[in-house]
Amino acid sequence: MNEKSVTNELIERCSKYYNSDLNNKVYSDAVIRNGLVDVALNHEAVANMHYHFSEEIDVGEVTNQKKTGRCWMFAALNCVRQGISSSLNMKDKNFELSQNYIFFWDKLEKSNFFLENIISTIDKDIYDHEVIGLLNSPVEEGGRWGLFTKLIEKYGIVPKYAMPDSKTSEDSKVLNQILNEKMRQYAKALREMYRENKSIEAIRDQKEEMLIDTYNILCHFLGEPPKKFDFEYRDINGDFHRDKDITPLEFYNKYSKVKPKDYVVLVNYPAEDKPFGKTYSIKYHGNVVDNEPVKYLNVEINTLKELAIAQIKGGEQVSFGCDVGKMSHREFGIMDMNLFNYETVLNTKFDMNKKERLMYRASGSSHVMTFTGVNLVDGKPNRWKVQNSWGEEAGNRGFYIMSDEWFDEYVLRVAINKKYVPEEILKAYEQEPIMLDPWNTLGPVF
């Protein structure tokens, strides 16, 4: 292959092209002084995206994940808390469940999951690409509906007052650094035991000691999860209620009307290696070690929309994953394909479609939120109401608005209650999943 460097001749051609259009200089001055977002903002698109919806759910105020990757927990817990507060007619419309509680158990379970993956690859070379992948990100902060399901079914939930946020659960950078360093230290020790011809049973016994150390570390950062608590609330009539000494799992089973295990996760990943109508799972992706892989059924985008609309009409918000950073504005809380005139301002073209963006890793699931409304015109959606978890400062008191065209391009997955799902889709969901490589574009982000 004859490689070519950047030559003076090429640079001269670049300069000539740039200076051939006077608009380039005008737009350059504007972007240099004000930044691309403000210069390219399409105010007509902003005006067209107003917060009125024909179908809407009252979900109370938004929550705030702060400086963490807990969006998937917040979205799922928002779905669960709505079911609890509405069924109990709670006076406190801003009742919250403890995200810190789920956060603690997710960290512990992911630590065990990582160490089990280290044991399963213990005979591989340290430079094997799968081992390198595991060591690159031992305990990831992101997650999805299926991971939340495993946690809540095993550990239950608690009100936020029973395990409030800590300094670290609101800013998890240091915890992640410490925990990942410990996991790599543990991986080294376990692999050395294998080279010393220690049995797998002895290695797993040592792994349990490592998890005891991990639990201790997590308690220092997040506090120890409560084993029992008193559930107390006042209803809209002013009557006070108390359920004494209830365990988190008892609380979940008794009071939660939303059971995540009753949902299916449908994705829209148009790709040659992932035909529609098939289920998929991802190697080394999970938290709780069991025999049930986290799986996804790949379907057409209109199927996601139709089922999301059905669930909203049924009074349930919809947890979904998307590529939130594309064609969106945090302050205005708008996600719209016409929001920015990037091509005009930069005098260039962006012409990849959804399939191509996923294939070339220009897009992927980066954030989880919930749909709480949709505006239907002649039965068809043109905009969606979104509950975010970035506090009230973002968007319209924390709520976003999404155009239907943005849904087409950047929404990638939804969690739908089985009661809204047609029989043929439920049957397809029961297929054994095709196991994808851990670096596949369907793989773990958030």
Side-chain angles (χ1 to χ4, degrees), residues 354-368:
K354 187 175 189 176
K355 175 180 177 180
E356 293 162 344
R357 285 194 299 269
L358 291 169
M359 183 185 305
Y360 284 88
R361 301 179 182 265
S363 186
S365 184
S366 62
H367 191 48
V368 182

Side-chain angles (χ1 to χ4, degrees), residues 258-311:
V258 173
K259 297 291 192 290
K261 65 181 180 179
D262 294 333
Y263 291 64
V264 295
V265 179
L266 307 176
V267 302
N268 176 247
Y269 273 76
E272 295 173 2
D273 66 327
K274 291 182 280 292
F276 291 138
K278 301 292 185 181
T279 61
Y280 302 91
S281 189
I282 305 150
K283 192 175 183 179
Y284 302 136
H285 175 48
N287 52 5
V288 177
V289 174
D290 57 21
N291 295 319
E292 293 294 327
V294 176
K295 67 178 181 179
Y296 315 94
L297 176 64
N298 199 15
V299 298
E300 299 279 357
I301 192 67
N302 283 336
T303 301
L304 267 64
K305 292 182 183 180
E306 290 165 6
L307 297 180
I309 290 170
Q311 189 158 305

Side-chain angles (χ1 to χ4, degrees), residues 4 33 37 54 95 109 134 223 235 323 329 382 423 442:
K4 295 186 68 175
R33 186 172 181 83
V37 169
S54 62
F95 165 75
E109 288 287 352
L134 291 170
D235 64 29
D323 193 355
H329 196 289
N382 67 353
E423 189 62 35
L442 187 61

Side-chain angles (χ1 to χ4, degrees), residues 118-359:
I118 289 297
I119 293 172
S120 72
T121 58
I122 207 162
D123 59 340
K124 294 180 181 291
D125 188 85
I126 189 68
Y127 298 112
D128 178 88
H129 66 283
E130 291 191 358
V131 177
I132 291 173
L134 291 170
L135 294 174
N136 276 338
S137 52
V139 180
E140 295 181 325
E141 193 130 295
R144 299 176 181 185
W145 187 268
L147 275 61
F148 176 80
T149 300
K150 292 177 183 291
L151 293 170
I152 198 173
E153 289 294 327
K154 185 173 182 177
Y155 295 105
I157 47 177
V158 302
K160 192 160 189 172
Y161 63 75
M163 189 172 178
D165 271 339
S166 69
K167 181 73 171 179
T168 296
S169 69
E170 295 180 343
D171 186 350
S172 55
K173 181 179 178 180
V174 174
L175 169 59
N176 292 334
Q177 290 173 342
I178 294 292
L179 198 56
N180 284 324
E181 181 170 347
K182 291 296 294 186
M183 289 302 118
R184 294 179 179 113
Q185 173 186 321
Y186 297 152
K188 172 180 174 292
L190 295 179
R191 287 175 62 86
E192 286 178 348
M193 288 181 69
Y194 179 78
R195 291 200 299 274
E196 294 167 359
N197 295 319
K198 298 292 174 49
S199 69
I200 293 298
E201 291 75 16
I203 290 173
R204 283 208 163 91
D205 287 343
Q206 184 60 38
K207 184 207 72 171
E208 290 197 356
E209 297 302 313
M210 294 170 174
L211 289 176
I212 293 173
D213 188 26
T214 303
Y215 185 97
N216 170 67
I217 291 171
L218 291 173
C219 288
H220 278 77
F221 280 103
L222 305 175
E224 186 172 21
K227 297 176 177 64
K228 289 186 177 182
F229 63 96
D230 293 346
F231 176 44
E232 300 174 336
Y233 71 95
R234 197 175 294 277
D235 64 29
I236 56 176
N237 297 318
D239 295 328
F240 183 78
H241 303 264
R242 178 185 292 120
D243 197 341
K244 288 182 63 63
D245 293 328
I246 189 170
T247 70
L249 197 55
E250 289 171 343
F251 176 68
Y252 165 64
N253 290 326
K254 182 175 181 178
Y255 290 105
S256 178
K257 301 302 180 183
V258 173
K259 297 291 192 290
K261 65 181 180 179
D262 294 333
Y263 291 64
V264 295
V265 179
L266 307 176
V267 302
N268 176 247
Y269 273 76
E272 295 173 2
D273 66 327
K274 291 182 280 292
F276 291 138
K278 301 292 185 181
T279 61
Y280 302 91
S281 189
I282 305 150
K283 192 175 183 179
Y284 302 136
H285 175 48
N287 52 5
V288 177
V289 174
D290 57 21
N291 295 319
E292 293 294 327
V294 176
K295 67 178 181 179
Y296 315 94
L297 176 64
N298 199 15
V299 298
E300 299 279 357
I301 192 67
N302 283 336
T303 301
L304 267 64
K305 292 182 183 180
E306 290 165 6
L307 297 180
I309 290 170
Q311 189 158 305
I312 291 169
K313 284 185 172 182
E316 293 186 51
Q317 55 191 305
V318 180
S319 176
F320 72 96
C322 66
D323 193 355
V324 72
K326 305 296 173 57
M327 300 303 287
S328 66
H329 196 289
R330 185 184 181 110
E331 179 184 351
F332 293 136
I334 294 175
M335 296 173 282
D336 180 25
M337 298 306 295
N338 298 313
L339 189 57
F340 299 106
N341 295 314
Y342 287 149
E343 292 188 338
T344 300
V345 172
L346 297 175
N347 190 18
T348 190
K349 292 291 183 183
F350 297 96
D351 57 7
M352 284 197 292
N353 59 32
K354 187 175 189 176
K355 175 180 177 180
E356 293 162 344
R357 285 194 299 269
L358 291 169
M359 183 185 305

